[in-house]
Amino acid sequence: IVFNNIRNKFINNIKMRLEDRVTKKKKEHIYLLDGWCVLPSVTQILHFKFKDMYKDVQDEVLKKESNFGTKVNKLTEQIDNGEDINIDELPIYESFCCKQHLKLNLKHNIEHIESEKIVINEELGYIGTLDKIAYVNGLKSIIDKKCTSKFNKDYVSWQCSMYMYALEDKNIKKLYCEWLKKGDIGKLEELYIVDYEEIKKLVKEYLKYKEEI
């Protein structure tokens, strides 16, 4: 109860620019609001729901995939922002993924709007950073980027749905995952939208779990 009251106190005064109020600890997926109020992140909540997703994958493999994904995500963000990058001088797999990214942009008529946007759901009290907002074939969409060896459509659908409800932009029409698998052809996978009531139920279960531990 105390945890919820503190969280709500800060969420009710969230009118300031979020980027100026939030400190993100990327390694732990923790967000500090106003320096000390910890808000649950989309990643933390979904790891609670999909707790067995990586149970058969070695930690070393997960770490390598995560590091590679972080590099590719940053490079493709720079490309979308119009920065001058010599793709051919990058390491072979990073270069390949960047070229696949450019091909997907052309194939699906993707027009970049914004990257790495922090969003907060004031009602439910969770926070997260979405990868990309863009027009895809003329429709405003949220895109999450993955470089994992396997694609979990359920996980990414929940992830982007939580971002969408936090963003509160009624013009968002579609959710996608840009899957840039190392050494493979890039794909733009359309996701499904999770019902808001299901997300409310999950967040409630997560907060109850956190109160009990």
Side-chain angles (χ1 to χ4, degrees):
I1 296 175
V2 173
F3 173 81
N4 290 335
N5 288 340
I6 293 174
R7 191 182 78 255
N8 291 337
K9 174 184 175 182
F10 281 87
I11 291 169
N12 289 335
N13 187 30
I14 197 74
K15 303 304 180 183
M16 291 172 58
R17 180 177 156 87
L18 272 178
E19 288 80 357
D20 295 335
R21 302 184 63 198
V22 172
T23 302
K24 181 180 179 182
K25 297 182 179 294
K26 292 185 178 181
K27 185 177 180 181
E28 300 89 352
H29 297 287
I30 291 175
Y31 293 79
L32 295 177
L33 184 62
D34 292 335
W36 65 276
C37 182
V38 180
L39 294 177
S41 70
V42 170
T43 300
Q44 288 174 318
I45 295 169
L46 291 182
H47 282 183
F48 167 73
K49 176 176 175 58
F50 296 90
K51 55 179 68 73
D52 294 328
M53 187 167 67
Y54 297 117
K55 67 177 183 179
D56 296 325
V57 184
Q58 295 181 352
D59 290 342
E60 183 178 348
V61 174
L62 286 176
K63 185 177 181 179
K64 285 183 178 179
E65 285 197 348
S66 177
N67 290 339
F68 178 74
T70 299
K71 292 177 184 177
V72 171
N73 196 35
K74 182 62 177 177
L75 287 167
T76 53
E77 181 187 345
Q78 290 175 310
I79 290 171
D80 288 338
N81 288 331
E83 297 182 34
D84 188 19
I85 297 176
N86 191 332
I87 295 176
D88 292 325
E89 291 185 356
L90 295 172
I92 183 169
Y93 285 119
E94 283 89 336
S95 174
F96 181 82
C97 286
C98 286
K99 290 176 181 178
Q100 291 300 308
H101 173 73
L102 289 171
K103 287 181 179 180
L104 289 175
N105 281 351
L106 289 174
K107 180 179 179 180
H108 299 281
N109 191 26
I110 298 175
E111 300 175 50
H112 175 256
I113 299 173
E114 188 172 1
S115 295
E116 293 296 307
K117 182 174 179 62
I118 295 176
V119 292
I120 184 170
N121 185 307
E122 297 181 32
E123 178 189 1
L124 302 183
Y126 66 78
I127 193 169
T129 304
L130 60 82
D131 282 344
K132 182 174 177 177
I133 302 172
Y135 289 105
V136 180
N137 292 320
L139 297 178
K140 196 173 186 181
S141 308
I142 290 174
I143 301 175
D144 191 78
K145 289 179 274 187
K146 299 294 184 194
C147 297
T148 51
S149 57
K150 295 182 180 179
F151 170 63
N152 188 324
K153 185 173 183 176
D154 291 328
Y155 181 95
V156 192
S157 293
W158 274 81
Q159 183 181 16
C160 286
S161 294
M162 293 181 76
Y163 291 149
M164 182 189 72
Y165 292 124
L167 184 62
E168 294 185 328
D169 184 344
K170 294 182 179 180
N171 292 319
I172 297 293
K173 304 299 182 184
K174 296 281 187 177
L175 308 179
Y176 292 96
C177 177
E178 181 180 349
W179 187 24
L180 300 173
K181 183 179 178 181
K182 184 185 289 187
D184 203 350
I185 302 300
K187 298 177 181 179
L188 188 69
E189 300 279 357
E190 185 170 351
L191 307 171
Y192 62 85
I193 297 175
V194 179
D195 186 79
Y196 189 59
E197 292 301 316
E198 289 298 309
I199 290 175
K200 286 175 67 174
K201 181 180 177 182
L202 173 61
V203 174
K204 184 177 179 180
E205 290 173 353
Y206 174 80
L207 293 177
K208 182 180 178 180
Y209 162 75
K210 293 296 289 185
E211 290 281 1
E212 291 175 349
I213 61 174

